[in-house]
Amino acid sequence: DHWPAEMTVAAFLDAMRRPTASGNETFLSELLLSAGCEQRDEWQHLDCRPVDRKLAETYFACVYGRDADRVEAFLRSRFGERAGPSDGLANEAWARAFADYWSSSARRRFLGLSRIYTLVCEIGRYAALDALRAAGREWTVSIDAESGGGERIANLLGIRVDPSERMTTAELLQSIKDAMAQLSARTALIAQAVWFQDQTAATVAKKLKVSESAISQQLKAAREAVRNYLTNKGFPDAGMGSR
């Protein structure tokens, strides 16, 4: 619908090779990255089915790693904290984008007419407007050591922490975030939603259009990876059984 019917492949490629507004990408490179993230089998050539999920996750990790901080910064500058914590809003935007464009039950394909960053920011903008319009809707406060967030996350991971040791708690929380940065993009997205934003596994599963058991498996893997990281960092009781 966007391109004229008489357009040639050469003309299409010339148009798609134009640099985006940032100058660091082209529309064609954005289209290829998005195609690499896709997990819907029926969108692929017969010779490429079933989709290589691990490869698709690698592509998504590339996109997420490149754009996540920029999306959060955009939403923070646009809405501040009025629509909720900017990290939670950005996480919501990525979850919606993944479900709609790249999951195994995605509903539409990204056409490469903008940057992926622009797409996710626009989804985040709508999510923020939804939150502002929803009467009585409360967003979860950002987790930090002073609000007791360190102890709460530690409990989820099955780690004992002395609440009176604020410095230790702050260090623990930062180490948890450092450990999560080493997870795959999708696993980190899920862990952040459940651990830091108080979303249920059922809610996250519905957003990402996967089963609750799949979310539980991702959380288990994230919990084990974080606890191993903390054990190597020398935190006491990091290796105890999860609750």
Side-chain angles (χ1 to χ4, degrees):
D1 292 338
H2 179 78
W3 303 104
E6 66 275 11
M7 191 172 198
T8 65
V9 172
F12 167 76
L13 290 176
D14 284 343
M16 294 297 289
R17 286 179 179 136
R18 293 196 309 267
T20 64
S22 71
N24 296 324
E25 306 99 8
T26 66
F27 294 110
L28 183 60
S29 66
E30 295 295 276
L31 178 63
L32 293 174
L33 274 175
S34 178
C37 294
E38 292 178 350
Q39 297 189 21
R40 185 163 175 172
D41 280 326
E42 56 265 39
W43 285 351
Q44 313 305 318
H45 190 279
L46 287 173
D47 292 340
C48 299
R49 301 180 190 176
V51 170
D52 184 335
R53 301 275 189 255
K54 186 175 181 180
L55 183 59
E57 292 286 354
T58 299
Y59 272 96
F60 179 68
C62 175
V63 173
Y64 183 82
R66 184 193 67 177
D67 291 340
D69 289 343
R70 292 194 294 170
V71 169
E72 183 178 339
F74 166 80
L75 294 172
R76 185 186 302 110
S77 67
R78 188 70 179 272
F79 296 98
E81 300 296 307
R82 292 181 297 117
S86 55
D87 58 347
L89 200 57
N91 195 59
E92 172 76 10
W94 282 104
R96 291 189 187 186
F98 183 87
D100 286 348
Y101 290 90
W102 301 311
S103 71
S104 58
S105 56
R107 297 179 294 173
R108 58 179 67 89
R109 302 187 87 171
F110 175 74
L111 301 181
L113 303 179
S114 70
R115 290 180 290 171
I116 295 174
Y117 158 78
T118 303
L119 169 72
V120 181
C121 284
E122 187 68 4
I123 293 173
R125 187 176 73 85
Y126 280 112
L129 293 175
D130 287 344
L132 292 173
R133 290 192 194 103
R137 178 173 178 179
E138 296 293 335
W139 284 72
T140 307
V141 177
S142 292
I143 299 299
D144 56 46
E146 293 304 314
S147 68
E151 294 96 322
R152 191 179 70 81
I153 301 301
N155 285 335
L156 285 173
L157 296 175
I159 300 169
R160 285 193 296 266
V161 176
D162 184 347
S164 66
E165 297 180 3
R166 283 295 182 185
M167 184 57 67
T168 300
T169 304
E171 292 172 350
L172 171 62
L173 183 60
Q174 184 57 54
S175 292
I176 290 173
K177 292 180 178 180
D178 292 342
M180 288 177 63
Q182 299 183 21
L183 301 174
S184 71
R186 191 180 187 191
T187 301
L189 202 66
I190 291 169
Q192 181 180 347
V194 175
W195 296 348
F196 285 78
Q197 294 159 17
D198 284 334
Q199 297 186 40
T200 65
T203 299
V204 177
K206 185 176 181 180
K207 287 180 180 178
L208 296 181
K209 298 182 179 180
V210 298
S211 66
E212 286 188 51
S213 63
I215 296 298
S216 296
Q217 290 172 2
Q218 293 283 328
L219 289 172
K220 180 180 178 181
R223 186 163 51 245
E224 291 176 353
V226 170
R227 287 172 56 193
N228 287 337
Y229 181 92
L230 295 176
T231 298
N232 292 334
K233 280 283 187 177
F235 278 97
D237 299 321
M240 65 179 288
S242 61
R243 296 178 59 182

